[in-house]
Amino acid sequence: MATRSPVWAVLLLLSPGLLPGQVVTTSLPTGGEVKRRCEFTPSSAKLPPVSSIIDSATVSAALAPILAGGGPALVISLVYRPGVSQPEVRWTEQASGPGELLSIVQTKALSRPVTEPWAIRLRVTSTADSISIRTEPSVYCPPQPYGIGGSTRRTAVVQVGPGDRLPTPGSRIRVVIETLVLASGAVADVRLIRSSGIQQIDNDIMMSAQTQSYLPALLDGVPVDGRYRNDGMRAHR
């Protein structure tokens, strides 16, 4: 008589990895809003000097008559993309001002070729006597599946096959996957980083990632390609 492979009922807990930094609210294509945990990048200790981003002396001179008399600080974001040496210049959510300022910064931004999306912020502070410009970290929000908050639970029936590693009853099986999400929100690739040891569980989780809808990564509010790593997936036997 042929021996049947064991069948398990498995509870899957799908938890996205969370980043430190700040919480950004994003509108969903289906309606409603979702809160996203984002990170500051680069770190404050690795901020480049203003002189490597813009022609600071020329910009300060051009801004002086526009901001004469002082006022609140203005925060400008410069977002660089691979293959494009000049940045996209825009206001951040923190503070905005006259459109002339963006044009001045855009024309005086220095060329900065990058191999992956990169951004930096400029904080412009004006007084009656001077213009001060300093760099600040940008904010990066990784791709995020729609509706994921905390843990998503579902039960799956697993057929254990030849070559699968059998954990002990009551143990927890960790699975790590990484999904490449394009700026459009489309899934370009799903990679298995750490296997559960059971092929069916790995395949089911990877298929779920491929068919899931995602919000694209945001770099200072600009959609960019990004990788979503969900290293909180665990299966309880």
Side-chain angles (χ1 to χ4, degrees):
M1 179 181 297
T3 302
R4 297 182 59 188
S5 299
V7 177
W8 289 354
V10 175
L11 176 65
L12 299 180
L13 283 74
L14 311 181
S15 303
L18 300 179
L19 295 171
Q22 72 178 50
V23 176
V24 173
T25 300
T26 303
S27 297
L28 291 171
T30 54
E33 296 180 332
V34 63
K35 293 188 181 300
R36 306 173 67 171
R37 292 185 179 271
C38 308
E39 65 179 347
F40 295 106
T41 180
S43 68
S44 298
K46 298 180 180 179
L47 288 174
V50 174
S51 59
S52 70
I53 305 299
I54 58 173
D55 181 346
S56 53
T58 303
V59 169
S60 295
L63 295 184
I66 301 174
L67 302 177
L74 306 174
V75 185
I76 300 171
S77 171
L78 291 80
V79 180
Y80 297 78
R81 297 178 182 273
V84 182
S85 60
Q86 296 301 116
E88 176 181 340
V89 179
R90 62 202 306 270
W91 295 113
T92 70
E93 75 290 346
Q94 294 182 1
S96 61
E100 286 180 88
L101 272 68
L102 296 185
S103 298
I104 291 171
V105 172
Q106 180 74 70
T107 58
K108 299 303 179 181
L110 302 180
S111 176
R112 192 182 186 93
V114 296
T115 57
E116 59 184 33
W118 185 84
I120 194 73
R121 294 183 175 193
L122 299 177
R123 178 174 290 270
V124 181
T125 305
S126 60
T127 66
D129 302 317
S130 65
I131 300 292
S132 172
I133 305 175
R134 62 184 175 87
T135 53
E136 291 186 345
S138 59
V139 174
Y140 174 76
C141 305
Q144 180 167 318
Y146 291 4
I148 293 295
S151 297
T152 298
R153 296 168 177 256
R154 64 184 177 86
T155 300
V157 176
V158 176
Q159 182 79 38
V160 179
D164 287 341
R165 301 194 304 269
L166 304 181
T168 58
S171 63
R172 304 198 325 175
I173 309 164
R174 186 182 179 196
V175 186
V176 180
I177 63 168
E178 187 175 78
T179 305
L180 174 59
V181 181
L182 302 180
S184 63
V187 174
D189 182 51
V190 178
R191 291 193 301 159
L192 181 66
I193 306 299
R194 174 172 173 166
S195 171
S196 67
I198 300 174
Q199 185 174 7
Q200 184 183 331
I201 291 179
D202 294 345
N203 291 343
D204 284 353
I205 290 177
M206 293 182 69
M207 181 61 69
S208 177
Q210 290 170 345
T211 58
Q212 173 72 56
S213 295
Y214 291 86
L215 294 171
L218 295 177
L219 186 56
D220 266 356
V222 177
V224 295
D225 296 352
R227 295 188 180 275
Y228 174 81
R229 176 172 289 205
N230 190 328
D231 58 3
M233 294 185 174
R234 288 173 171 80
H236 292 241
R237 178 179 174 186

